[in-house]
Amino acid sequence: MSLATTQTVSLPWDQSASLALLRANTCFGQMAEPIQAAFAGIAQWRRLSHGELLAGRGTPAPGVVIILKGAIHTSSFSDDGHEFALSMLEFDGLWGVAAVLDGGGMLRDSRAYQETDILLLPRVAFLEVLESEPGLYRHFVKLLCRRIRTAHAIIDELALRSLPQRLPRLLGALTAGRPRAGQGIAVAQTQDTLATLLGVSRHAVNRELKQLASLGLIGLGYGEIWVRDLEGLKQLWHERGAS
C-alpha cells in the first residue's frame, strides 16, 4: 500500500484555518506568531479512512502530523503474527517528530484508526522552517524528552503492574477530552484494540471489563464501552496500584 500522502485528497482548507488549529495545539500554540504562520503556510489538511497506511515500516516519515480527529495506531508484529501496539495517538496528538528530525525509516507501521483527519507538515518544508529558526530545535528536543520519560513509564507499567491495575488506568486515559453522553463517556477502542494496547488476550480484557461493569463503573454494549463513573475508576486504579 502506498503512503497516505499520495492516497488521500486535500480537503478544502486555507492558511487561516490551519493557523487557528496550530494556535490551539498544545505544542505549536506555545510558539511565536511568525513561526506559527510559517508552519500554517506549509500545512496540508487530509482525511484518512479506517486502516489506511500513513507510513509503513522502513519508509521515510511523510512529515510531522497533528491529529485533529480519530487516531493513529502504531504497531509491530512478531514472527508468529502477534501484534504489539506501541501507541494510539488521539485528538491533539503529534506524530512523526523523531523520524522527521533524524531522517531514518519508520520502525513500525502507522495506520488510521477510524476516520482520521490530520494536518500534515511535509518533512522537507518542516525542516526548512526549523533551519530558519534554530531555537525551535530546543522546543522539539524537550517534547521528545517527555516522550522518552513516558515510554519508560509505560515499560514500568507493563513489567510491574497487573491487568486489573492497568485496565482501569487505560480506560480513564482514553476518556480525556471526550464529552459525556447519556450512557457515559464513550471509549473509542474495541476490546480487541484494548487487548493489543495492553499486550494481553481479548478474553482477559473481556473478563476484567465485565468485573468493572458489575461495579457500575463502566457500561458494555455491542462493540461499545462507556465509562459511567470516571472518579470511581480513578479511585479503583489508585487502590489497586497501592495494593
Side-chain angles (χ1 to χ4, degrees), residues 132-180:
S132 68
E133 297 285 344
L136 285 176
Y137 279 100
R138 182 178 179 85
H139 179 86
F140 288 104
V141 165
K142 286 184 177 180
L143 182 149
L144 292 174
C145 287
R146 288 197 299 270
R147 291 195 172 181
I148 290 172
R149 291 180 180 275
T150 300
H152 280 288
I154 292 171
I155 291 170
D156 287 346
E157 285 275 318
L158 290 172
L160 303 175
R161 304 292 183 186
S162 66
L163 178 60
Q165 293 171 325
R166 289 187 286 137
L167 181 57
R169 183 168 180 171
L170 177 61
L171 291 173
L174 292 174
T175 64
R178 294 185 177 275
R180 184 179 182 87

Side-chain angles (χ1 to χ4, degrees), residues 50 67 69-74 85 87-91 111-116 167 169-176 178 185-198 202 205 209 218-227:
H50 177 67
I67 300 164
K69 183 188 78 171
I72 299 298
H73 183 198
T74 301
S87 64
M88 180 76 76
L89 296 176
E90 295 191 297
F91 183 79
R111 297 178 182 276
Y113 181 82
Q114 301 181 326
E115 185 176 78
T116 299
L167 181 57
R169 183 168 180 171
L170 177 61
L171 291 173
L174 292 174
T175 64
R178 294 185 177 275
I185 306 174
V187 174
Q189 278 68 48
T190 65
Q191 292 190 28
D192 285 330
T193 304
L194 291 176
T196 301
L197 288 169
L198 292 164
R202 185 185 187 281
V205 167
L209 287 174
I218 67 170
L220 298 176
Y222 183 72
E224 296 177 306
I225 303 170
W226 307 278
V227 172

Side-chain angles (χ1 to χ4, degrees), residues 5-17:
T5 48
T6 60
Q7 276 195 332
T8 54
V9 177
S10 295
L11 300 175
W13 208 247
D14 57 27
Q15 186 170 337
S16 62

Side-chain angles (χ1 to χ4, degrees), residues 70 81 134 208:
E208 293 299 328

Side-chain angles (χ1 to χ4, degrees), residues 5-172:
T5 48
T6 60
Q7 276 195 332
T8 54
V9 177
S10 295
L11 300 175
W13 208 247
D14 57 27
Q15 186 170 337
S16 62
S18 297
L19 183 58
L21 289 169
L22 288 168
R23 286 174 174 168
N25 181 266
T26 304
C27 175
F28 291 90
Q30 302 173 16
M31 299 176 183
E33 289 187 7
I35 297 174
Q36 292 173 343
F39 281 126
I42 66 171
Q44 301 172 10
W45 191 37
R46 301 183 183 276
R47 174 164 291 165
L48 311 179
S49 58
H50 177 67
E52 187 170 352
L53 186 69
L54 175 59
R57 180 179 178 182
T59 64
V64 171
V65 168
I66 300 170
I67 300 164
L68 308 175
K69 183 188 78 171
I72 299 298
H73 183 198
T74 301
S75 62
S76 296
F77 289 87
S78 65
D79 291 338
D80 60 1
H82 180 73
E83 183 181 18
F84 174 73
L86 178 70
S87 64
M88 180 76 76
L89 296 176
E90 295 191 297
F91 183 79
D92 205 29
L94 205 61
W95 176 96
V97 175
V100 166
L101 291 179
D102 71 12
M106 300 300 300
L107 297 177
R108 299 167 182 87
D109 287 348
S110 294
R111 297 178 182 276
Y113 181 82
Q114 301 181 326
E115 185 176 78
T116 299
D117 288 349
I118 65 173
L119 202 64
L120 172 67
L121 308 177
R123 180 177 180 272
V124 173
F126 177 87
L127 292 175
E128 287 176 351
V129 175
L130 260 63
E131 291 299 327
S132 68
E133 297 285 344
L136 285 176
Y137 279 100
R138 182 178 179 85
H139 179 86
F140 288 104
V141 165
K142 286 184 177 180
L143 182 149
L144 292 174
C145 287
R146 288 197 299 270
R147 291 195 172 181
I148 290 172
R149 291 180 180 275
T150 300
H152 280 288
I154 292 171
I155 291 170
D156 287 346
E157 285 275 318
L158 290 172
L160 303 175
R161 304 292 183 186
S162 66
L163 178 60
Q165 293 171 325
R166 289 187 286 137
L167 181 57
R169 183 168 180 171
L170 177 61
L171 291 173

